[in-house]
Amino acid sequence: MPKFFVKSEDINDHAVTLAGENANHIGNVLRAKTGDMITVCDGEGRDYECEITEITKKYVMAKITDIFTNDNEPDIKITLYQGLPKADKMELVIQKCIEIGVDRIVPVKTEHTVVKLDGKEDKKLLRWNKIAEAAAKQCGRGKIPVVDRVMNFKEAVDEGSSLDGAVIPYEKERDSSLKSFAKEFKGKSIGVFIGPEGGFSNAEIEYALDKGVKSVTLGKRILRTETAGLVASVILLYELEG
């Protein structure tokens, strides 16, 4: 059943109003008809099963037939601090990490970042958040995870170190694993720091460690930037939630 996210004010006791891109998708892409069923989510953990009652060029009306709690959101809230990768790899990172349950994604400029977003940041963020919304719809999330503004590395570490825990996969780490971190972790919020192509500089690693971010290994093989965040997040969610 197709799923759509709306604002809570678009929902009343008996009906939902879908406008803008949602209405266009229902009418022109899905070619839906009155009587068809859709799922609507308020982005706050509630799903509404609805029957379409009216389709116009500007809006779609749907009658609520059932309401149920969306339990697809992990209790562990992972913020992925992703070093900006080249080409369209960021889009892949966003799509797949949201599918597996990452709560928030922060693009990060580092010493080894090659990508230049001068004058394009707002446009990129708009596209990245559309990808986030599409991924959230596809996998049945109860909210649309945010792709936040681009931060520099120091800003990201200063923020991430204030969470209940934070890790930075590092190829020179040999002893501390994500599994051992998870065994000792107490809390709900975790920051995961992933470098771009070329990884983090020594100075960046030192700054993160000085701020209390834990260095961990992801195994014997060095992973690509677009793979590392996904792997780290999956391991943490598995170890902490089963």
Side-chain angles (χ1 to χ4, degrees), residues 20 23-24 28 55-60:
N24 179 66
N28 298 322
I55 300 175
T56 75
K57 291 182 178 180
K58 293 184 177 180
Y59 65 87
V60 171

Side-chain angles (χ1 to χ4, degrees), residues 96-127:
K96 299 308 176 186
C97 285
I98 284 176
E99 284 180 20
I100 58 97
V102 167
D103 188 67
R104 176 171 167 254
I105 298 174
V106 179
V108 181
K109 290 185 289 189
T110 73
E111 288 188 31
H112 293 163
T113 295
V114 175
V115 176
K116 304 296 183 185
L117 295 180
D118 299 337
K120 300 178 182 178
E121 184 172 321
D122 289 345
K123 187 176 180 179
K124 283 286 188 182
L125 283 174
L126 182 62
R127 174 163 176 76

Side-chain angles (χ1 to χ4, degrees), residues 18-233:
L18 300 99
E21 291 185 7
N22 282 337
N24 179 66
H25 190 80
I26 291 170
N28 298 322
V29 179
L30 296 179
R31 302 285 185 182
K33 305 180 293 298
T34 56
D36 288 350
M37 301 300 292
I38 59 174
T39 299
V40 173
C41 183
D42 62 6
E44 299 175 359
R46 287 179 296 275
D47 283 347
Y48 301 78
E49 188 175 278
C50 301
E51 178 185 346
I52 297 174
T53 57
E54 182 181 2
I55 300 175
T56 75
K57 291 182 178 180
K58 293 184 177 180
Y59 65 87
V60 171
M61 293 295 297
K63 177 178 66 177
I64 297 171
T65 60
D66 198 6
I67 304 173
F68 46 95
T69 300
N70 183 299
D71 60 359
N72 293 339
E73 288 303 309
D75 291 332
I76 300 300
K77 304 303 180 185
I78 295 177
T79 296
L80 175 65
Y81 296 94
Q82 173 66 52
L84 281 165
K86 293 184 287 188
D88 58 356
K89 293 177 184 177
M90 190 67 182
E91 297 183 6
L92 178 65
V93 169
I94 292 166
Q95 183 185 68
K96 299 308 176 186
C97 285
I98 284 176
E99 284 180 20
I100 58 97
V102 167
D103 188 67
R104 176 171 167 254
I105 298 174
V106 179
V108 181
K109 290 185 289 189
T110 73
E111 288 188 31
H112 293 163
T113 295
V114 175
V115 176
K116 304 296 183 185
L117 295 180
D118 299 337
K120 300 178 182 178
E121 184 172 321
D122 289 345
K123 187 176 180 179
K124 283 286 188 182
L125 283 174
L126 182 62
R127 174 163 176 76
W128 289 339
N129 277 287
K130 285 184 178 296
I131 291 169
E133 180 176 359
K137 289 178 181 177
Q138 183 274 324
C139 66
R141 294 284 297 259
K143 61 178 283 187
I144 304 173
V146 172
V147 182
D148 220 324
R149 68 177 181 86
V150 179
M151 295 185 185
N152 63 47
F153 183 76
K154 183 178 182 298
E155 283 182 295
V157 171
D158 289 348
E159 180 191 274
S161 60
S162 69
L163 301 176
D164 295 333
V167 295
I168 186 165
Y170 184 39
E171 63 269 19
K172 293 183 180 180
E173 178 62 57
R174 294 291 180 266
D175 301 319
S176 182
S177 66
L178 279 172
K179 186 172 184 177
S180 62
F181 169 85
K183 283 183 177 180
E184 299 177 359
F185 177 73
K186 305 294 182 184
K188 292 292 186 182
S189 59
I190 301 176
V192 176
F193 289 86
I194 302 296
E197 296 88 350
F200 292 116
S201 69
N202 290 335
E204 287 171 333
I205 293 292
E206 290 177 8
Y207 185 81
L209 299 182
D210 287 344
K211 284 288 187 175
V213 180
K214 304 297 183 183
S215 172
V216 295
T217 176
L218 293 181
K220 296 180 180 180
R221 292 163 294 281
I222 297 175
L223 304 180
R224 292 177 181 271
T225 182
E226 66 269 30
T227 308
L230 179 65
V231 170
S233 298

